[in-house]
Amino acid sequence: MNLARESVELLGQMAWIFLFEGTRHGLSDRDWMALRFLARANRFSRTPSALASYVGATRGTASYIVNELEKKGYLERTPSSKDKRSVTLSVTSRGTKFLERDPTNVLVDALAALDDVSKTHFRDALRQMLDRSDTAQQRRHADSCRRCMFLWEGRADTEGGPSSEFNCRLFRAAIAESEIDLLCASFEHRPQ
Ligand code: SF4
């Protein structure tokens, strides 16, 4: 069988771990996707609109998901200090604990059992596939600052923040080293 086709077929079978009917531990597959994203998202993406774009839903559906997760105590929202109409979503300690029951952990464990070279190849291959399919489908996937075309490395004074080694040219903000590997829904990969 064609190697590419065989791999995509395997990915399709794996997708059933991410996508399922009904609920697992009380959450739908989309709720899990949202909670997982918000636990890894940077401060610019912990918003209802970034969440809507990540889960591929309307703002109304994203608000519904946020309400459900908030009711269960897994999320909390705080008004933005800059714009009172915006909110920042944060996963609570209860939500973080609950993520130990994430149905996709079975895949994380299976991957963790591979050697480092295989893990790196697998991750890089998935990234390349996403980059290529984004271009073909004129969409963008979420990823980290490290690979983003808006990341500027060099010391600069940014609006309202201290000078930093890393800065985001899109948000005109300093990026702390601890934020470099967090997920951002506004990510755009650098042209090759
Ligand atoms: S550098 Fe890119 S990934 Fe990082 S915050 Fe800015 S837009 Fe998002």
Side-chain angles (χ1 to χ4, degrees), residues 42 44 143-145 148 150-151 168 170-171 175 184 186-187:
N42 68 12
F44 309 108
D143 211 326
S144 63
C145 296
C148 180
F150 297 117
L151 187 74
C168 170
L170 181 69
F171 292 108
I175 304 290
C184 180
S186 302
F187 164 86

Side-chain angles (χ1 to χ4, degrees), residues 15-187:
W16 293 113
I17 295 170
F18 288 89
L19 307 171
F20 47 84
E21 292 287 331
T23 59
R24 301 265 162 90
H25 305 295
L27 297 190
S28 70
D29 50 1
R30 232 177 211 184
D31 296 339
W32 275 112
M33 192 179 184
L35 189 60
R36 211 179 288 131
F37 169 69
L38 291 169
R40 262 207 71 205
N42 68 12
R43 70 196 132 114
F44 309 108
S45 293
R46 282 188 281 113
T47 65
S49 59
L51 177 65
S53 129
Y54 183 81
V55 300
T58 61
R59 280 290 298 268
T61 304
S63 290
Y64 178 80
I65 294 172
V66 168
N67 286 341
E68 290 301 297
L69 293 175
E70 199 181 20
K71 266 194 259 167
K72 290 178 189 293
Y74 303 145
L75 263 194
E76 62 191 6
R77 56 180 116 199
T78 45
S80 158
S81 53
K82 287 192 175 155
D83 176 0
K84 293 289 174 230
R85 290 164 305 172
S86 322
V87 290
T88 301
L89 306 169
S90 306
V91 175
T92 59
S93 50
R94 183 172 176 179
T96 304
K97 178 92 185 118
F98 189 67
L99 277 163
E100 288 171 13
R101 304 168 88 177
D102 183 348
T104 65
N105 285 350
V106 67
L107 286 177
V108 176
D109 292 344
L111 260 174
L114 301 181
D115 61 71
D116 285 350
V117 173
S118 304
K119 275 187 272 203
T120 305
H121 283 165
F122 185 74
R123 181 202 59 194
D124 294 347
L126 288 178
R127 274 223 169 95
Q128 272 186 38
M129 287 168 69
L130 272 174
D131 286 347
R132 279 174 180 257
S133 52
D134 279 357
T135 307
Q137 300 194 326
Q138 296 184 319
R139 64 181 294 279
R140 291 194 316 241
H141 71 275
D143 211 326
S144 63
C145 296
R146 202 176 285 286
R147 302 177 60 249
C148 180
M149 63 181 283
F150 297 117
L151 187 74
W152 184 73
E153 291 183 46
R155 199 161 277 281
D157 290 323
T158 45
E159 271 177 28
S163 70
S164 165
E165 295 282 0
F166 300 106
N167 297 278
C168 170
R169 287 183 286 122
L170 181 69
F171 292 108
R172 298 172 65 84
I175 304 290
E177 195 132 7
S178 58
E179 295 178 299
I180 284 282
D181 290 313
L182 299 182
L183 281 179
C184 180
S186 302
F187 164 86

